Amino acid sequence: MEDRFAMPEGRGISRLLLLCRLLHLVLPTAPLCAVTLLLAKDGLPFGIAAGLWGLWFILLPLYLAIWRKGFRFRLGTNFLWVQSGVLFRRDRRMPLESIQYLSTFATPLERLLGLRDLVVHAAGGVIWIPGLPEGEGELLYRQLSLRAAGYTGEGERDG
């Protein structure tokens, strides 16, 4: 039988979220980096600081690209599965019947780009799914709400 609630297998993080996170991390630090670079000619401590800032701006996009590639989630029949991690992979499964409540949030830049983060709270922990497009986030929110309440998609409740 076809599962009306099936989500795409292995869905990852959108490129818009990657851009958003990059801007969140780079824009606040750019003025500090510029001041450090201007003062770098005045001695070794500022030269070291300028080198560290340069390393930050080189490694940050690489880290975010690896983070994006390593994040996947899937809504199964009885569970929500999330895989994440940069250096170490972490697989988490949350039974849908243990979901206590759901929440969504977005920064002003994410709202401008049409993205939302979904946070799933359960008795055993929290799962965060970042950067969902508005429509997909709303669909996943509704599906998780219905499944957590025991709705099977067949017109009746489990149990």
Side-chain angles (χ1 to χ4, degrees), residues 60-122:
L60 181 64
L62 178 65
Y63 173 82
L64 288 174
I66 294 170
W67 175 67
R68 177 182 179 262
K69 186 174 175 132
F71 187 91
R72 300 277 180 259
F73 77 89
R74 181 176 173 275
L75 180 58
T77 305
N78 297 317
F79 63 89
L80 175 63
W81 171 77
V82 175
Q83 181 184 51
S84 62
V86 174
L87 294 177
F88 302 99
R89 292 282 181 240
R90 185 170 138 179
D91 285 330
R92 298 177 67 192
R93 286 181 184 242
M94 179 181 286
L96 296 179
E97 62 269 2
S98 71
I99 294 175
Q100 293 177 337
Y101 65 97
L102 305 164
S103 58
T104 61
F105 69 93
T107 65
L109 184 57
E110 288 173 341
R111 279 194 302 271
L112 184 65
L113 295 173
L115 300 173
R116 297 285 184 272
D117 292 356
L118 177 66
V119 182
V120 183
H121 302 267

Side-chain angles (χ1 to χ4, degrees), residues 33 36 45-59:
C33 181
T36 304
F46 287 108
I48 292 171
L52 290 174
W53 281 116
L55 190 61
W56 165 259
F57 284 109
I58 291 169
L59 293 180

Side-chain angles (χ1 to χ4, degrees), residues 14-33:
S14 71
R15 286 190 175 132
L16 279 176
L17 180 67
L18 190 65
L19 172 67
C20 186
R21 294 290 191 250
L22 189 62
L23 289 174
H24 277 167
L25 293 170
V26 168
L27 288 180
T29 60
L32 294 173
C33 181

